[in-house]
Amino acid sequence: MTRLILVLFLTTFLTAQSAPEVEITAEPHHHQTFVNDQVRVFNVELPPHAETLMHRHRHDYIYVTLGDSEVVNTVQSKDPVTVKLQDGQTGFLPGNFAHQARNLRDHPFRIVNIELLQDDKLRASSAKWDEDRGLDILHSGTKEILFVKDGVRVSEIELQPDGMAPVSDAPYLLVALSDLELFQTEHDAPRSASDNILLKPGEVLWIPSPHRHTLAHRGPPAKFIILEFH
């Protein structure tokens, strides 16, 4: 019996190690929710104790975690690593690797992956931001620049009711971490229905240039990430 269990374990282990990889678009837990010439966005939802297929990330990407989580990450040809992530944790990973992720928790693992489709050009660009780190105290809120990668500036914004956050001239992608009731505004400019932004956690919205330069909040406390592109 012991020998049989060992054989079954080794068979399962070797099968996992030799599992063929698939493209990210063929991985059933990755759901594409937005794409343009700059980004491709996937919402990933992995049920409790479930595992993704071995899949390849061909582009650099930025991830935004929705909820606390714990996963086993197995990069192809490397040993598994257990990773704990906090709600709203945002980071960057260089592309061109394949991996599997297994959810260790009793609730779904949810994350937003934002592929940078122009990563080669962005890495080669000489364009620079005036600020690449820092915390700004806003009107009823805060804006923290988390990092700049591939020329993309990533910031976390928290707003209380009636809070306001300035944004640059650059086009940007907004990622909701909470329910959002925002509107775009400009000093002395009339508002229209198209200025309203209503999003649920994990939803995204691309704001092209030109656009209004202030985001105002009228609902309960809100938290979101913005990715600014030169």
Side-chain angles (χ1 to χ4, degrees):
M1 178 63 71
T2 302
R3 184 176 180 182
L4 177 60
I5 293 173
L6 179 60
V7 169
L8 290 173
F9 171 80
L10 289 174
T11 301
T12 303
F13 177 78
L14 291 173
T15 300
Q17 292 298 304
S18 60
E21 69 179 60
V22 300
E23 292 297 320
I24 190 171
T25 51
E27 207 297 304
H29 301 96
H30 287 68
H31 309 287
Q32 182 176 303
T33 59
F34 178 78
V35 64
N36 65 9
D37 64 331
Q38 292 291 329
V39 298
R40 185 167 59 168
V41 180
F42 293 91
N43 278 51
V44 183
E45 183 161 341
L46 194 58
H49 307 289
E51 186 175 50
T52 68
L53 301 177
M54 180 70 71
H55 59 281
R56 180 158 293 276
H57 292 268
R58 298 192 180 277
H59 294 281
D60 298 351
Y61 70 96
I62 292 162
Y63 64 85
V64 181
T65 307
L66 303 173
D68 295 339
S69 57
E70 184 177 7
V71 297
V72 175
N73 183 41
T74 305
V75 176
Q76 196 173 57
S77 302
K78 295 185 179 181
D79 293 332
V81 176
T82 299
V83 181
K84 291 185 178 181
L85 299 166
Q86 297 179 338
D87 182 32
Q89 185 170 331
T90 302
F92 169 88
L93 288 172
N96 197 26
F97 71 93
H99 76 137
Q100 285 178 296
R102 178 162 55 89
N103 183 8
L104 296 180
R105 296 286 177 89
D106 293 329
H107 57 262
F109 166 62
R110 298 180 62 215
I111 198 167
V112 181
N113 287 343
I114 303 131
E115 286 189 325
L116 305 177
L117 298 180
Q118 304 290 335
D119 47 359
D120 288 340
K121 292 181 180 180
L122 292 170
R123 282 193 296 271
S125 174
S126 60
K128 301 294 182 183
W129 293 99
D130 293 337
E131 295 179 289
D132 57 13
R133 298 287 293 184
L135 175 67
D136 290 333
I137 305 301
L138 309 174
H139 174 74
S140 297
T142 59
K143 178 180 179 181
E144 181 180 5
I145 300 173
L146 301 177
F147 55 82
V148 174
K149 291 291 186 180
D150 290 353
V152 179
R153 186 167 68 179
V154 180
S155 302
E156 179 184 275
I157 298 176
E158 294 190 53
L159 294 178
Q160 298 300 315
D162 300 320
M164 303 179 72
V167 290
S168 70
D169 292 332
Y172 63 93
L173 182 76
L174 190 155
V175 185
L177 293 175
S178 66
D179 290 337
L180 299 185
E181 297 181 31
L182 303 172
F183 59 91
Q184 301 180 78
T185 185
E186 198 81 66
H187 181 64
D188 292 335
R191 282 178 52 193
S192 67
S194 63
D195 295 324
N196 295 330
I197 299 174
L198 301 175
L199 297 176
K200 297 292 186 183
E203 293 182 339
V204 306
L205 182 66
W206 178 263
I207 310 292
S209 291
H211 56 69
R212 301 183 189 269
H213 295 102
T214 301
L215 288 173
H217 178 55
R218 59 190 174 195
K223 186 176 181 180
F224 53 96
I225 301 292
I226 64 170
L227 284 64
E228 297 171 276
F229 292 75
H230 275 293

